[in-house]
Amino acid sequence: MKNKFAKLILPAFMVTLLMLVLPSCEKKNETDNGKSGQTPAKTGTDMACDSCDSNPQNATDVPTPAPAGMVPVDVTYPAAVFVGTPANLSTIPNLEAAYPEGYVRPPIMAPKGTVNLARGKVVTGTDEDPIIGELAMLTDGDKEATDGSYVEFGPGKQYYTVDLGQKSNIYGIIVWHYHKTQRVYNDVIVQTADDPDFIENVQTLFNNDIDNSAGLGVGTDKSYIDGNKGKLIDGKGTQAQYVRFYSNGSNENELNHYIEIAVYGTPVQ
Amino acid sequence: MTTNNEEKKVNSKLDRRSFLRTSALAGVGLMTAPMIAGAQSSKKDEINIGFIGLGQQFERLFDDAIMKTQMYKTENIQFKAVCDIFPYRRNRWSKLMKAYKHDVNAYEDYKEMLEKEKGRMDAVIIATPDWMHAPMAIAAMEAGYHVYCEKEMSNDLAMAKKMVQTSQKTNKLLQIGHQRRSNPRYLAAEKLIKEYKLLGEIRNINAQWNRSVASHSVPLPKEKLWMSEADLQKHGYGSMQELYNWRWYKKFGGGPLGDLGSHQIDIFNWFLGEKTPDMVMASGGKDFYDYELDENVMSIYNYKTDAGSVRAFYQVLNNTSWGGYGNYYEVFMGEHGTLIISETTYPTNNGWFCMENYAKLNNVKEITDKWNKAIKDKLIGAAYDIPIDVKSKQVLVLGGTKMSKLVPHRIMTKYDKAVHAPHIKNFLDAIRGDAKLTCPGKIGYETAVSVLSANKSIETGDSVKFKHADFEV
């Protein structure tokens, strides 16, 4: 019975722990527009998009009251960069609202002791010899958009897997693909598992593959414009040792780009 | 020893190469497209391309125009070589092309590439800093390759002229990257101006490209990737900043006029019937940054046409996003109407021909008949009721009183794909002998003279008066 509680009830409880609170809780050390010491720049996610749902109530990161006892997780964001002409995103289906101008993400609230478990951890992937970059760059803490910060996998469906080193409680995940230009990556799927082959206890935390082209099931999550704040995914208190990240090219090309992955959680005691 | 089959393959290859070379020459003056296209199988003969310069502009050409549109498949392009002085780029792009199963060699030195790829390459696409366009393009044409060269064709007019002369001497194609000249929407607009004469006589032109302070520079790569000072100096650069943001330095480029203005001032000349200006005066300022070339420029061009004179105002500002309509557009104002058009690919920015309302109110048949014909021919839409582009929420400023008001008609030709794709396609078609280049070197040279003279005017504080000979090659 205790075991069942740990497996079912506790994760459900932890879901409620991953809450986003009001912007007044913004941490002072976060890097954001105009605060980085560099020329203020417009973020990719701030660009206008005709097809986007402009109702802010439908955007992600909508704050909800935090339960008592939770503390903000220390997250730093890279400087916003945008190079080139804004892309025409009007034909991309299922695209979520862009963040409003000057949006500051509320902090992730989680139990005390929550850290980025992925930092410095081993990464494996379908492209062991990427076109540019090395797999270790995905967990090196560098989230910048510049050349030398991102890893480029070959065309088509690709994934990489982070081994957290031990079974962990996962409260939140932020993934950065590429934010130098406006991009929407296809078939973004995030799964967790107990084993590196993803056979045991496979959980899907995010899936925006609405036509099941990746073959992992039809997803109901929205596509999104990658930006300097990355994509925040609810960890739902899931317990797992391995986290896998899929993509299948972007609106720009068939290639797959990854800058950094952060998995916020605590080791299972 | 070569087997019979191998010999056949070699001969076939040679025949094809011979065909490409001769047909390209024919394409300069002949339109043999239907016959050739009809004779070909559904898969076109491959065209073997090398790329010189693998920076930001190359990414637009390669990613957006060639890969995203699948042109590399539909046009059967084979990537044979890449060349860049920066190892990071060279390694990345050669590996990427190999991932697509192309047999690509990577080079640091373009001369070595041109020499070693003889027999394997038909053409090169040059997207380096402006100052290297001329030596590279000239060497490529002299080595037997057709050339697609990004604009500005050079920041040195004497070298730009030499590019055109080399194209003429070698009979090699030289396409300059003023891509609006192949854009179906711009081609439709040109037809409506020249053939349908919707605007009447064009008297004034206004164009701009404005952007915020955030867009002024390209972020440098991680320091661990930087080239050594010695390697940079070997290739003429003093720092990675100069290599990545070369557009702001006199030695390497032409500033925002050469970068952005060049595209739009080229359209002035084109839509006025390949006219060249008589005079330009310009003023500029280094107001926010401390680059060598001015970030904010305003300029006025004078043209003499058969119907009188035309004034064209052009501004490129790097301190403000003001402007609307995608922040860059061209407006041609005639006595019968006005054209507003932009290259931006937002679906609603298709361009508008706006008729002077007095013609409608007074039923001036001379005007209304030709507009009605354009509507009947489905080149423009019916009069648009609301002077606002509803979806983009961008107001078209169309005047107030009944007699001083414009009635907008949307251009019906839509094009919202990669803006460089039709221009590269035109280059490939010309190589195959199926089309004439839409922007051959001579046109590019006339534009370069027009544009770079504005920089000269800023520098001297005087207007520049052109003689016809200034545009001759």
Side-chain angles (χ1 to χ4, degrees), chain B residues 36 151 180 189 204 231 249 263 303 376 436 447 454:
Chain B
I36 292 171
K151 59 82 213 163
R180 282 169 176 73
N204 299 285
D231 281 344
Y249 298 89
H263 285 302
Y303 291 82
K376 191 180 167 193
K436 291 164 80 170
T447 300

Side-chain angles (χ1 to χ4, degrees), chain A residues 7 49-50 83 87-88 91 120 138 159 173 194 198-199 206 212 216 227 245 263 265 267:
Chain A
K7 280 186 176 173
C49 168
D50 287 342
V83 175
N88 177 13
T91 57
L138 301 178
Y159 67 79
I173 294 170
D194 290 344
F198 278 66
I199 296 169
F206 186 88
N212 196 25
L216 295 170
F245 303 86
V263 179

Side-chain angles (χ1 to χ4, degrees), chain A residues 231-265:
Chain A
K231 177 64 182 174
L232 173 62
I233 293 165
D234 189 348
K236 302 176 182 174
T238 306
Q239 292 192 337
Q241 181 174 342
Y242 298 90
V243 189
R244 183 170 282 179
F245 303 86
Y246 290 86
S247 63
N248 189 3
S250 72
N251 64 311
E252 282 296 314
N253 55 46
E254 297 172 309
L255 303 166
N256 296 274
H257 303 88
Y258 312 110
I259 293 176
E260 187 73 7
I261 180 68
V263 179
Y264 296 101

